Amino acid sequence: MQKISTMRRAAKNIFRGQLTIGLDLGDRSNAYCVLDEAGEILLEQKVAATPEAMRRVFEKMPQCRIAMETGTHSPWVSRLLAALGHEVIVAHAQKVRLITKSRRKDDRLDARTLARLARIDPALLSPIQHRSAQAQLHLTEIRARAGLVSARTALVNAARGLVKSTGERLRTCHTQQFRREITSGLSAGLREALEPLLREVESLNERIQEYDRRIARLAKERYPETALLKQVKGVGDLIATTYVLTIEDPQRFRKSRDAGCFVGLQPGRRNSGESEPQMHISKEGDEYLRALLVQGAHYILGPFGEDSDLRRWGQKLAARGGKNAKKRAVVAVARKLAVLLHRLWVSGEVYEPLRNSQKAMNAAA
């Protein structure tokens, strides 16, 4: 990397006027590029990816505009720089094609590109807003639970696969009921071989239940607005709390319909001239929240879902038939669920499952 010595330019006081900085975040070090008002490069350097090193470098600079991409380190880095008084822009990594599609890609060039785009027009970076430190901390509990659930699923699948390879089978049950007792029908040698694995699954079940209790307590004590969302049968503490923590500020959306776009459940668009092809959903936004909303949609359309306008609408979509009709109906219901939850959150209304159907009946009468 070409470096411009700060010692050589110190006498010229390079940090004058409106500065723009592009910051390419790495796991061990961050590359940054400083531009002056005319877009000339004043300084290119690297700094260790630690709070102490970042603070030492950027607290000495005058207030400036700093652009970075989303990533593992962008939440704490953006909060640190904002606390130092800088204007921080966090670019949507997948939408900055000058970086993601570049054939000449390295830390120095990425930092330059971020700085130039931020200097010209920050909107070109498709900036996003990171959640607060408190929301991120509480979401950590939810994501930790998700990690345990994934580990449990992997162990259960491993046990079933190992048993099948011997010509025997384990009884069908939910992963929450997966205990040592289900091996009672297996041969003695196979039971002994699976004993440690099944003990680990039981331990994971206990830890997951512990997280469930913590999330329920968190929803009740710190986020009482989740009670509005849980009016919808199929939305429990986990979905409601994840929804509230991920969105954090319900006023960020001008319309509740935008909530469906935020979680990536709306179809993509590629209209050109007279061509309007049918696209898959965008899958933008938070992947875990999207998965939870789809789980909620499965429950609403499933055998235990309560009769509601949303359920009836989804069943009509599924009844149209065709390839993957049920899957499309689930995704559509998940999108409507995201919109409904935002509306309940903003308005504070009492949820009426058959509100639209009752209005139609009254109008017909």
Side-chain angles (χ1 to χ4, degrees), residues 62-80:
Q63 292 186 1
C64 52
R65 175 179 292 171
I66 302 178
M68 68 190 74
E69 288 184 288
T70 53
T72 303
H73 296 280
S74 61
W76 71 264
V77 172
S78 61
R79 286 194 292 266
L80 184 150

Side-chain angles (χ1 to χ4, degrees), residues 61 88 114 141 276 318:
M61 296 185 181
V88 181
L114 285 168
E141 293 195 31
E276 295 187 15

Side-chain angles (χ1 to χ4, degrees), residues 26-304:
D27 194 51
R28 296 186 179 275
S29 64
N30 303 324
Y32 64 94
C33 174
V34 183
L35 302 181
D36 63 13
E37 289 180 304
E40 296 294 327
I41 297 176
L42 297 179
L43 177 66
E44 289 183 312
Q45 264 289 6
K46 279 191 174 184
V47 57
T50 63
E52 296 77 14
M54 294 287 292
R55 186 177 290 106
R56 281 197 301 270
V57 170
F58 291 99
E59 69 182 357
K60 300 175 183 177
M61 296 185 181
Q63 292 186 1
C64 52
R65 175 179 292 171
I66 302 178
M68 68 190 74
E69 288 184 288
T70 53
T72 303
H73 296 280
S74 61
W76 71 264
V77 172
S78 61
R79 286 194 292 266
L80 184 150
L81 295 177
L84 293 176
H86 298 293
E87 177 191 355
V88 181
I89 300 171
V90 183
H92 193 307
Q94 298 302 316
K95 293 187 178 181
V96 187
R97 294 186 176 272
L98 286 176
I99 294 178
T100 58
K101 302 297 183 181
S102 174
R103 295 186 178 182
R104 298 181 61 229
K105 184 172 176 60
D106 61 39
D107 297 343
R108 178 173 59 90
L109 293 178
D110 290 351
R112 281 188 185 183
T113 302
L114 285 168
R116 296 196 186 284
L117 290 174
R119 176 179 169 271
I120 296 171
D121 184 1
L124 295 173
L125 297 171
S126 301
I128 62 98
Q129 177 184 343
H130 275 308
R131 60 185 61 90
S132 66
Q134 175 180 279
Q136 185 176 357
L137 179 61
H138 292 160
L139 267 177
T140 299
E141 293 195 31
I142 292 175
R143 296 302 176 87
R145 178 193 181 277
L148 292 181
V149 171
S150 297
R152 180 181 65 183
T153 301
L155 289 178
V156 170
N157 289 341
R160 293 192 182 280
L162 291 170
V163 170
K164 285 181 181 179
S165 65
T166 66
E168 302 184 52
R169 286 182 180 270
L170 289 170
R171 296 200 306 269
T172 301
C173 68
H174 194 276
T175 52
Q176 295 175 350
Q177 286 79 45
F178 200 85
R179 297 181 176 85
R180 278 171 283 185
E181 290 76 10
I182 70 169
T183 63
S184 57
L186 302 180
S187 61
L190 199 52
R191 288 202 305 271
E192 183 178 354
L194 294 176
E195 177 76 11
L197 188 150
L198 295 179
R199 281 205 308 268
E200 194 62 34
V201 173
E202 291 178 353
S203 176
L204 286 173
N205 279 330
E206 294 174 2
R207 301 289 80 76
I208 291 170
Q209 290 171 7
E210 180 182 349
Y211 270 119
D212 288 338
R213 291 190 292 270
R214 293 174 63 169
I215 292 170
R217 185 167 61 251
L218 181 67
K220 182 178 180 180
E221 297 176 358
R222 302 296 295 273
Y223 302 98
E225 59 268 33
T226 56
L228 296 170
L229 280 58
K230 289 191 295 181
Q231 295 181 93
V232 182
K233 190 174 181 182
V235 176
D237 289 314
L238 179 60
I239 296 179
T241 307
T242 305
Y243 188 92
V244 168
L245 287 173
T246 303
I247 293 179
E248 194 171 12
D249 179 14
Q251 303 303 325
R252 67 191 301 177
F253 301 134
R254 187 171 58 88
K255 299 180 296 183
S256 294
R257 185 175 298 178
D258 294 337
C261 302
F262 176 77
V263 294
L265 287 168
Q266 89 289 359
R269 288 180 12 179
R270 189 175 292 172
N271 298 347
S272 178
E274 300 299 323
S275 175
E276 295 187 15
Q278 184 177 5
M279 306 288 291
H280 295 292
I281 59 173
S282 67
K283 293 187 178 180
E284 295 179 349
D286 191 274
E287 181 179 357
Y288 184 61
L289 176 58
R290 184 167 60 251
L292 289 180
L293 290 170
V294 169
Q295 289 180 21
H298 274 291
Y299 182 91
I300 289 172
L301 292 175
F304 304 107

Side-chain angles (χ1 to χ4, degrees), residues 2 12 31 81 120 252 281 307 320 342:
Q2 178 186 0
K12 298 182 180 181
L81 295 177
I120 296 171
R252 67 191 301 177
I281 59 173
D307 189 18
R320 291 178 182 176
H342 182 267

